[in-house]
């Protein structure tokens, strides 16, 4: 195996995307809305397509805004269908996001000659290609450096999520664990909900190009769920989730370029292996949690129960 | 452009009459998919497992890719559909087991369990696919068509396989109809009756996996969930009877498949899977607005009717109580707007509107400048309404220990829906209590403001 600067950028970009996702995803998992991440990340497709058709350029701000808007629309539509249409929440989610996704597919297919937007790219992302698209940046100590554009975008989103979570930590915690109390105290649970959904949409859109929508779902949910198995404290959970996400990016990329070689292949998709590695982490944590539970129940004297 | 038009109309006729071999296969198979998806989806929807279909569908991807790789390693071509579908079924089943395991063995909830399985399995599939693409001697590119569906490549053998699978799924679903219905509506009762609830849940999820496999080629992994949810959700807007819902969901699903794939064959560059889903979504939108059971229009209409009835009863009772206070003859005395407005704190406009409606129902005589007169019918109705209100008030005071000063509002919430049976029951109870309930019209238990 050979490791280039290229690989370092891939890991860093993947880690930032995964970390940003894990931050907001923790709240999705705690609020039992994990599938919302799935719905939003799928529904983003038509937003990208329309914005792309209008501006004709990829990765412009319009595209970003269009996709994030559709993501938010998915959250609003699901809520509306659930409330007004009296539909089961999962079902309303499924209806909204499949409709948007289908719309996106048709739009892209109809404009195939003008649009160079591959739906598969949305699904898998192109993490391996992100280091090719760089921006020259003057840094205080390093002088002039070529930094991948995706890295900068994801850095911004990661910081945004970090700040948002730090500033609204109290409100988010309250809405997660005691929505009724939050409502009584006058924190708009609704405002927090849509604020969170906006962050999810923005994170998803920023991540999709680099890592694809499937990895986004994996990173939103799996590190947070893994951390949930290991701790009961929200702050610890957030920290653990982000660390697990970083680790998944590093291990995932490493596995992507080494493991296939053992079986005689060249390499494989980093996004895919990253998602798969988070699954392994989860499996490990589940094993550890059940072991600990078993040891605890065995060692606890009956009298203290 | 006449040439183009006649060409188009020729294509139109060819497609509609299913003259093309490929179109015929695609339309028939998507219609079958829609029918089977509607039936299985109805069960899933009522069991509140709609998104489970999504997790299963995504979990089929690594199954497909692994099956492909295995066959290539064994020296085959890899693109042998029955084998790939078998792999899909295995992947889906493993995904189901994983979701159930996470839900029961860890503290992670349903939603996250589905999200984990969906993304990790799919991620694994993508990683495998990355390797399969570079396998020598064969092309894995065809596997991509399972993501979004690709109907162009369908041949007779594929169709036969899909048709048989769809029919098998349908037959199993109908065979377990009674048990699955019980599971959907009353799991606790099913358990108490000794039905193997877990086994039945397993059957349901296996059926969902079956649908995924049937739809893999036409609609693709990502959108297959739409074929399970949307027709069933549409059907639910029209009926609350389960049998009808199943039939309707099958019909709407079948229609979505048929119309969607026809449209896709007519328009260039319109992927069949996506168009089918959009057709189903359009049907859902119409159902949501116009559905005869839960549709928004129907529910809005019902709510309006109820609000009007409540308003009418309030008007009549207010008029009755005014007349009662004045000890006046209802046939000659005018009920004044000003008095009514004070009692009900309604705006003048609302008061007039309620009076006009009551006039249309012949409950009051034609409203005049400063008030209206109750008709004979209106007086009888007003007496009845007031009597119900007071009976219920008395009942609340004597049986539910509610203070007389608070009882008016509590009575308000229920009096409009008191049926004749309940009123007779109230009369009986109150007569036995000797609380004035036996009187033809008990006096109000609280001062009338």
């Amino acid at each position: 195996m050979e490791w280039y600067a290229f690989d370092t950028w891939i890991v860093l970009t993947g880690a930032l995307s995964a970390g940003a996702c894990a931050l907001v995803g923790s709240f999705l998992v705690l609020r039992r809305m994990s599938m919302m991440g799935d719905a939003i990340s799928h529904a983003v497709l038509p937003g990208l397509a329309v914005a792309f058709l209008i501006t004709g350029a990829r990765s412009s701000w319009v595209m970003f805004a269009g996709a994030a808007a559709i993501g938010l629309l998915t959250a609003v539509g699901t809520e509306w269908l659930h409330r007004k249409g009296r539909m089961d929440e999962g079902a309303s989610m499924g209806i909204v996001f499949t409709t948007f996704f289908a719309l996106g597919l048709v739009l892209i297919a109809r404009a195939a000659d003008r649009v160079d937007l591959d739906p598969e790219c949305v699904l898998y992302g192109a993490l391996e290609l992100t280091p090719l698209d760089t921006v020259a940046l003057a840094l205080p100590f390093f002088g002039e450096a070529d930094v991948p554009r995706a890295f900068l975008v994801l850095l911004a989103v990661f910081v945004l999520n970090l700040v948002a979570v730090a500033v609204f930590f109290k409100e988010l915690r309250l809405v997660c664990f005691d929505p009724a109390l939050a409502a009584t105290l006058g924190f708009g649970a609704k405002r927090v909900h849509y604020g969170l959904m906006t962050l999810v949409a923005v994170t998803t859109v920023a991540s999709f190009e680099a890592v694809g929508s499937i990895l986004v779902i994996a990173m939103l949910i799996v590190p947070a769920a893994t951390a949930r198995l290991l701790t009961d404290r929200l702050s610890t959970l957030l920290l653990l989730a982000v660390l697990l996400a970083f680790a998944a990016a590093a291990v995932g990329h490493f596995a992507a370029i080494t493991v296939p070689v053992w079986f005689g292949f060249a390499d494989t998709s980093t996004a895919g292996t990253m998602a798969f590695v988070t699954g392994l982490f989860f499996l490990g944590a589940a094993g550890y949690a059940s072991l600990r539970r078993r040891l605890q129940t065995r060692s606890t004297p009956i009298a203290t129960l | 452009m006449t040439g183009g038009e006649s060409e188009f109309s020729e294509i139109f006729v060819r497609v509609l009459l299913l003259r093309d071999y490929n179109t015929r296969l695609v339309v028939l198979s998507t219609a079958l998919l829609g029918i089977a998806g509607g039936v299985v989806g109805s069960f899933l929807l009522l069991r509140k497992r709609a998104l489970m279909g999504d997790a299963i569908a995504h979990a089929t991807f690594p199954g497909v890719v692994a099956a492909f790789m295995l066959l290539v390693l064994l020296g085959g071509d890899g693109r042998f559909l029955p084998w790939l579908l078998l792999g899909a079924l295995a992947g889906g089943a493993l995904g189901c087991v994983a979701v159930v395991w996470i839900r029961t063995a860890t503290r992670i909830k349903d939603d996250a369990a589905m999200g984990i399985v969906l993304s990790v399995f799919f991620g694994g599939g993508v990683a495998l696919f990355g390797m399969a693409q570079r396998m020598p001697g064969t092309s894995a590119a065809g596997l991509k068509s399972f993501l979004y569906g690709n109907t162009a490549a369908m041949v007779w053998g594929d169709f036969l396989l899909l048709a048989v699978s769809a029919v098998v799924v349908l037959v199993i679903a109908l065979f377990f109809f009674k048990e699955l219905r019980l599971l959907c509506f009353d799991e606790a009762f099913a358990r108490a009756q000794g039905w193997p609830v877990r086994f039945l849940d397993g059957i349901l999820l296996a059926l969902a996996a079956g649908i995924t496999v049937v739809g893999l080629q036409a609609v693709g992994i990502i959108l297959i969930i739409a074929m399970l949810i949307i027709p069933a959700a549409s059907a639910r807007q029209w009926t609350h009877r389960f049998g009808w819902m199943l039939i309707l969901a099958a019909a709407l699903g079948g229609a979505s498949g048929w119309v969607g794939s026809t449209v896709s064959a007519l328009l260039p560059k319109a992927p069949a899977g996506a168009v089918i889903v959009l057709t189903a979504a359009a049907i859902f939108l119409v159902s949501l607005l116009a559905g005869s059971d839960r549709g928004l229009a129907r529910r809005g209409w019902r709510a309006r009717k109820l609000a009007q009835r409540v308003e009418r009863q309030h008007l009549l009772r207010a008029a009755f109580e005014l007349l009662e206070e004045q000890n006046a003859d209802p046939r000659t005395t005018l009920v004044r707007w000003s008095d009514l407005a004070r009692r009900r704190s309604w705006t003048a406009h609302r008061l007039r509107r309620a009076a006009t409606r009551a006039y249309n129902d012949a409950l009051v005589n034609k409203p005049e400048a400063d008030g209206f007169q109750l008709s004979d019918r209106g007086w009888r109705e007003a007496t009845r309404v007031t009597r119900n209100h007071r009976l219920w008030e008395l009942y609340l005071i004597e049986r539910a220990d509610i203070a007389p000063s608070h009882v008016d509002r509590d009575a308000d919430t229920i009096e409009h829906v008191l049926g004749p049976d309940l009123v007779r029951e109230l009369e009986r109870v109150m007569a036995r209590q000797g609380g004035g309930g036996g009187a033809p019209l008990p006096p109000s238990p609280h001062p009338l403001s």
Side-chain angles (χ1 to χ4, degrees), chain B residues 175-259:
Chain B
F175 182 75
F176 285 107
F177 173 76
K178 197 179 57 177
E179 289 79 5
L180 288 176
R181 185 175 61 180
L182 187 60
L183 182 71
C184 289
F185 284 104
D186 200 342
E187 186 199 331
F189 179 69
R191 211 182 283 277
Q193 288 280 304
W195 290 102
V197 167
R198 289 182 66 146
F199 170 74
L200 289 173
D201 255 335
I203 295 260
L204 186 53
L205 294 181
L207 288 175
I211 292 294
T212 310
V213 168
V214 174
L216 220 48
Q217 221 186 8
V219 180
I221 283 172
I222 298 168
L223 288 177
I224 192 72
I225 175 72
M227 296 313 287
L228 285 171
I229 301 180
I230 300 183
S234 305
R236 179 67 188 87
Q237 306 300 319
W238 297 97
T239 177
H240 58 261
R241 297 198 54 91
F242 190 56
W244 280 114
M245 181 176 160
L246 275 187
I247 293 169
L248 207 55
L252 293 179
S256 307
W258 188 288
V259 173

Side-chain angles (χ1 to χ4, degrees), chain A residues 32-34 38 42 84 86-87 91 110 113 119-120 123-124 214 218 225 228 232 265 267-269 272 293, chain B residues 45 54 105 107-109 111-112 119 122-123 126-127 130 134-135 144 147-148 222 237 268-269 294 299:
Chain A
R32 301 187 190 176
M33 311 191 67
S34 307
D38 180 42
H42 279 78
K84 289 273 147 93
R86 293 204 200 153
M87 200 78 70
R110 298 287 294 166
D113 0 317
E120 274 154 42
L123 267 191
Y124 311 138
I214 298 305
R228 181 73 193 90
D232 282 330
F265 297 102
D267 57 6
T268 185
S269 146
R293 208 170 37 222
Chain B
L45 188 74
D54 203 27
R107 52 156 89 161
I108 299 300
K109 304 290 185 298
D111 62 314
S119 57
F122 198 80
V126 171
R134 296 186 185 132
M135 285 180 106
K144 276 188 191 168
L147 287 178
Y148 313 106
I222 298 168
Q237 306 300 319
K269 291 185 291 189
R294 276 198 169 184
R299 285 217 313 267

